[in-house]
Amino acid sequence: MVALSRLSLTNFRNHAGALIAQGPGFVILTGENGAGKTNILEAVSLLTPGRGLRGATLSEMARSDGPGGFAVNARLGDDIDIGTGALATAPERRQVRINGADASAASLGEWLAVLWLTPAMDRLFLESAGGRRRFLDRLVLAREPGHAAHSSRYEAATRARNKLLAEPDGADPSWLAALEAGMAEHGAAIAQARAHTVSALTARLASQPPGPFARAGIALTGWTPAPGDAQAHLAAELRAGRGRDAAAGRALAGPHRSDLAVTHLDKAMPAGLCSTGEQKALLLGLILAHADLVAEQGGQRPVLLLDEVAAHLDPLRRAALFERLAAGGGQTWMTGTEPALFAAALGPATRFVVSDAGIVTV
């Protein structure tokens, strides 16, 4: 199990400078709305591949009245230092360092796995498929750190192919074939990793007894690879679809066209038709089950970031959540406006109050 033992922020969002020393178990951040609690969770989420829990640009993360640029650094356990940020001179170029050496953002997934639930995800089942794919890929990344590199290379090849297809004089067939080969290689790996995660998580969810949180059923929909050699089939599909894709201005085949379907098992109802409270419970149940799955299969238990989750649960479900989190182990960061929301959180806990004056241990 890997947990953060120290987190430092420099000119990140509203925090000019902050140093947080925390232990395993619960990390509880309380304070008024706007104090910067979610910003701290966002900083932790940036210690993994991707754009963090808000999906913001790097320049948006730099303190508005600061010198430009920002830094987020953390100690994992006793001897691993990781950090990310951007320089004022290159505000949209991400910098990553691991134990003092330059590294790629994709490599962060080899050191830390993080899952999160935020109020902004309440409409995940009602909005576009892109958000659900990102949610699924976060689950995949917790099991297969190499997923980030495949995703990055697939997206780069897809962008290059789209640009090439838009050339007014026609695209170079040999260059198109090379890009499509890259898309097929990495796209097949993405699809396979997603399918493996969905299959494993489905089995984990099915084995759970009924409890205080809604049980979810999950399945991949939209584009899926043809049976057999997924790489060869995707390459052929891309080759045959060049004219169609040129007219559309985008690739119409590949894992970027997949979706995650979620069902409330006990009601046999699509998640998008459930109440807001039920949808949040489904997401929470998925995250908890996946954290258990990763730990059981020998991987590092993901760090969980739960933003304002306690405020939307009744006291019985709140106590049940804390009990399950404590039993599972690992490190869970939670935010809330009132310390009383976490009165039932027993076991190891580091508690902080966040305010304009700073971050204070209580």
Side-chain angles (χ1 to χ4, degrees):
M1 178 190 72
V2 177
L4 281 73
S5 56
R6 186 183 67 206
L7 177 71
S8 66
L9 312 179
T10 304
N11 293 315
F12 182 77
R13 296 289 189 181
N14 68 318
H15 299 287
L19 179 62
I20 305 172
Q22 64 282 338
F26 297 128
V27 181
I28 298 172
L29 307 166
T30 57
E32 296 180 356
N33 291 327
K37 305 183 298 296
T38 304
N39 294 342
I40 296 171
L41 299 192
E42 182 183 26
V44 176
S45 74
L46 288 175
L47 297 170
T48 62
R51 294 171 61 173
L53 60 79
R54 284 193 174 105
T57 63
L58 293 173
S59 59
E60 290 177 297
M61 300 176 195
R63 188 163 60 95
S64 59
D65 56 349
F70 71 92
V72 175
N73 294 283
R75 170 67 58 89
L76 306 183
D78 297 324
D79 57 1
I80 302 170
D81 291 306
I82 65 175
T84 190
L87 301 174
T89 53
E92 291 296 350
R93 182 181 178 186
R94 187 172 184 181
Q95 307 284 322
V96 174
R97 294 181 69 81
I98 299 174
N99 285 336
D102 290 338
S104 67
S107 68
L108 288 169
E110 300 172 9
W111 300 95
L112 187 67
V114 181
L115 301 176
W116 55 77
L117 180 61
T118 71
M121 294 168 65
D122 284 354
R123 295 185 58 82
L124 187 69
F125 302 125
L126 302 175
E127 296 180 343
S128 70
R132 291 186 290 277
R133 282 194 299 271
R134 288 189 291 273
F135 174 73
L136 173 58
D137 285 338
R138 182 61 47 185
L139 300 182
V140 175
L141 190 60
R143 300 178 73 236
E144 302 188 33
H147 188 65
H150 285 299
S151 298
S152 177
R153 291 166 186 165
Y154 176 81
E155 290 168 6
T158 301
R159 287 194 299 269
R161 178 179 180 269
N162 290 344
K163 184 177 180 180
L164 197 59
L165 286 173
E167 292 287 341
D169 298 329
D172 180 347
S174 61
W175 183 227
L176 267 179
L179 290 172
E180 288 165 355
M183 288 178 66
E185 176 189 354
H186 299 296
I190 291 167
Q192 183 178 53
R194 286 174 177 171
H196 287 169
T197 291
V198 167
S199 177
L201 185 53
T202 294
R204 184 70 177 79
L205 290 164
S207 69
Q208 290 183 331
F213 304 108
R215 290 193 306 146
I218 58 175
L220 286 170
T221 61
W223 181 90
T224 54
D229 188 337
Q231 183 172 335
H233 284 301
L234 178 53
E237 195 172 357
L238 291 168
R239 184 168 57 251
R242 289 174 184 175
R244 177 195 63 183
D245 293 350
R250 62 190 187 279
L252 298 178
H256 65 287
R257 304 286 291 177
S258 300
D259 199 353
L260 178 69
V262 178
T263 304
H264 190 315
L265 285 180
D266 298 323
K267 288 190 170 183
M269 179 183 294
L273 299 180
C274 294
S275 69
T276 300
E278 287 172 328
Q279 291 181 30
K280 184 179 288 289
L282 286 167
L283 276 172
L284 184 55
L286 280 171
I287 288 172
L288 294 175
H290 193 64
D292 292 341
L293 174 67
V294 172
E296 288 171 3
Q297 294 185 341
Q300 61 177 24
R301 188 175 189 84
V303 172
L304 302 182
L305 310 178
L306 305 180
D307 192 20
E308 300 288 351
V309 68
H312 300 282
L313 297 173
D314 59 57
L316 289 177
R317 284 183 172 80
R318 197 181 305 152
L321 170 62
F322 297 150
E323 182 179 359
R324 180 164 175 183
L325 290 170
Q331 189 178 69
T332 300
W333 296 61
M334 295 183 286
T335 67
T337 55
E338 300 292 338
L341 292 169
F342 304 100
L346 304 178
T350 314
R351 300 171 188 263
F352 301 93
V353 172
V354 183
S355 69
D356 291 338
I359 302 169
V360 179
T361 307
V362 293

